[in-house]
Amino acid sequence: MPEASNASERVVFRSVGGAVWMTVTSIVCALLIGDMLIRGTLEQAVLVSPWLLLLLWFVYLFLFAPRIVATPEGVAVHNVLRVTRLSWGAIDSITSRWQIEFRMKESLGDKPVQAWGAPTQRPSRSPKKEHPSTGQIERLRDMLEEAPAQQATRTVAWDVPGLIAGAVIVIWLVASIAVSL
């Protein structure tokens, strides 16, 4: 069980693969834009950059942004363009199948909140090796047990920074198409 000092910290669970893909895609996009600036013109770089940024945005949206943020107050589940905030009082249990699922108390409905961001294991035939997600689920369960009794709240909101970034990229993309015609 975590110590009392660990109870006040913010813990982020995110897929390692998402961070790797985001890093690799960022480096490739930066190299391609840099190459356009060196070998081509500024105009070419401005016209092609939104396509590369659109690719980078999709990698961010589907692989890097999804995560679970656990605090002493509750859990924030960041999925694609949606953020669901749950107080510890709203969570009945935490399970794992293909994703980590937060099962709600009856007062908030029976539909569980699934988290795309944390790594989970597929059913394995060999139980010899423990998957890293097992420790993460146990950590979340410990935080749920240690949480003081609180009101059950559940809020769902849009991922505003992700939406704004996508809108800017789409506007830039449309403008680059209009200029090149």
Side-chain angles (χ1 to χ4, degrees):
M1 241 163 58
E3 298 174 17
S5 63
N6 290 342
S8 66
E9 67 184 38
R10 177 178 183 257
V11 183
V12 178
F13 301 104
R14 175 179 283 160
S15 172
V16 175
V20 169
W21 275 105
M22 187 68 183
T23 303
V24 169
T25 308
S26 298
I27 291 170
V28 169
C29 288
L31 289 174
L32 289 172
I33 292 171
D35 184 54
M36 279 185 285
L37 289 171
I38 292 169
R39 294 183 189 201
T41 63
L42 178 62
E43 180 184 346
Q44 289 173 334
V46 169
L47 292 176
V48 174
S49 292
W51 294 99
L52 295 173
L53 292 176
L54 185 65
L55 169 68
L56 189 62
W57 182 70
F58 275 113
V59 170
Y60 168 79
L61 204 64
F62 288 98
L63 298 175
F64 186 72
R67 63 193 177 277
I68 298 171
V69 180
T71 63
E73 293 78 35
V75 175
V77 178
H78 294 254
N79 286 329
V80 177
L81 291 178
R82 300 293 277 178
V83 180
T84 304
R85 287 183 173 74
L86 307 168
S87 66
W88 289 115
I91 301 170
D92 189 38
S93 66
I94 301 170
T95 61
S96 172
R97 186 172 174 197
W98 302 107
Q99 296 112 354
I100 293 177
E101 288 184 347
F102 297 92
R103 300 208 181 262
M104 303 289 92
K105 298 217 171 150
E106 284 185 33
S107 61
L108 295 174
D110 59 351
K111 186 176 179 186
V113 175
Q114 296 181 341
W116 291 22
T120 57
Q121 63 181 0
R122 293 183 180 171
S124 173
R125 295 173 196 212
S126 173
K128 297 176 186 175
K129 193 171 149 183
E130 187 174 292
H131 192 271
S133 66
T134 306
Q136 293 177 352
I137 294 168
E138 290 304 317
R139 179 75 188 271
L140 285 169
R141 286 178 181 155
D142 289 344
M143 291 178 82
L144 176 61
E145 288 175 12
E146 292 175 358
Q150 51 187 231
Q151 184 178 359
T153 60
R154 175 182 182 168
T155 59
V156 180
W158 289 102
D159 179 11
V160 176
L163 285 171
I164 291 172
V168 168
I169 292 169
V170 168
I171 291 168
W172 187 0
L173 188 68
V174 170
S176 73
I177 292 171
V179 168
S180 64
L181 292 178

